[in-house]
Amino acid sequence: MLVIGSHVSFKNDSQLVGSVEEALSYGANAFMFYTGAPQNTIRGTINDSITYNALSLMKENNIDLNHVICHAPYIVNLANDQDLEKYVFAQDFLRKEIDRCQTLGVKYIVLHPGSATKLDRDYAINNIVKALNNILLPEDNIVILLETMAGKGTELGINIEELKYIIDNVKLQDKIGVCLDTCHLNDSGIDISNFNEYLNTFDKNIGINKIGCVHVNDSKNPFNSHKDRHENIGFGTIGFDNLINVIYNPLLERVPKILETPYVNKDFPPYKQEIEMIKNKTFNPNLYEDILNYYQK
Ligand code: FE
Ligand code: FE
Ligand code: ZN
């Protein structure tokens, strides 16, 4: 079964019900949300009766709670301890994010591992390990999925070696995994047309069972550009067929595929039409026109 969805919003008033409704409007059976704005750490409280309604709506529509992903805000940087207050704040925030997810019943949290900034990379990576070991508790029923990064600036987690180092040093092994992002892989120097070779290397070093999510994005930039700008499916440098091969890879069948592609003209979500294209396995060269027609009618 194809497990496919996109990033959706999570608003303070409609919370998870709003997210589920948005996912359903795209024909998705999976989705990913931020518990608030991705660029800040202001978060409301979870309303249990809304969550209850969301869970029954999901049940009616065959959305498995295991296919729902939370994305931690990208300003959380567990790698930098230069400002101790900020380092502690980042850990506190992630701890609270874990608690919010457990209240919602959501098991998977995608996390950008962090940025070294002015610190030595090895030292900064050890800060991530330390922070994760501080935050995670044996009774937690969540998995932190470290996202593969493009290598923009001083980002960490930009290759298998760095991810493996973090994972190997996290004590609670069942609470750590990986989220592959096809745009980031491409920009970090992985040839997506040779995805099987990458999966093979990943399996030998980390283990395919550690992959808990795949972000499916095309890229605006060439292979190995260390940029990180997402493009709509089939309109970038990775290309439609290579992305279809990732999405339908039998080794990743159980794993939710989440689109984080750009809105058309900044206003119109592309996900319904992109998901259709993916289900049909046929590239739609008129994607933009179809999206504008659909939303402007
Ligand atoms: Fe991300
Ligand atoms: Fe991503
Ligand atoms: Zn990205």
Side-chain angles (χ1 to χ4, degrees), residues 23-135:
L24 291 172
S25 79
Y26 302 146
N29 59 1
F31 62 90
M32 180 177 81
F33 66 99
Y34 288 85
T35 56
Q39 62 279 30
N40 71 42
T41 51
I42 304 160
R43 294 294 182 266
T45 39
I46 303 295
N47 177 320
D48 287 338
S49 78
I50 298 178
T51 305
Y52 180 85
N53 291 336
L55 297 182
S56 42
L57 191 59
M58 285 167 59
K59 208 165 188 183
E60 279 164 36
N61 290 282
N62 296 314
I63 298 182
D64 186 331
L65 196 51
N66 282 313
H67 298 155
V68 176
I69 314 275
C70 172
H71 196 312
Y74 25 80
I75 53 149
V76 169
N77 185 5
L78 300 183
N80 190 347
D81 69 346
Q82 275 180 304
D83 181 337
L84 215 61
E85 219 170 286
K86 277 189 191 158
Y87 185 53
V88 171
F89 178 84
Q91 295 178 53
D92 277 350
F93 183 84
L94 191 58
R95 183 60 245 172
K96 286 183 193 135
E97 190 83 330
I98 291 171
D99 294 336
R100 270 188 292 273
C101 283
Q102 298 198 114
T103 307
L104 291 164
V106 169
K107 196 175 167 188
Y108 296 98
I109 304 175
V110 169
L111 175 74
H112 294 183
S115 289
T117 56
K118 285 174 183 152
L119 299 171
D120 168 71
R121 284 184 83 81
D122 290 340
Y123 177 81
I125 283 191
N126 275 304
N127 280 339
I128 300 173
V129 170
K130 253 198 281 177
L132 288 170
N133 283 328
N134 278 338
I135 296 162

Side-chain angles (χ1 to χ4, degrees), residues 186-189 219-227 237:
N186 172 78
D187 291 15
S188 78
S219 174
K220 284 193 197 291
N221 290 291
F223 162 80
N224 211 12
S225 56
H226 303 287
K227 282 284 191 0
T237 55

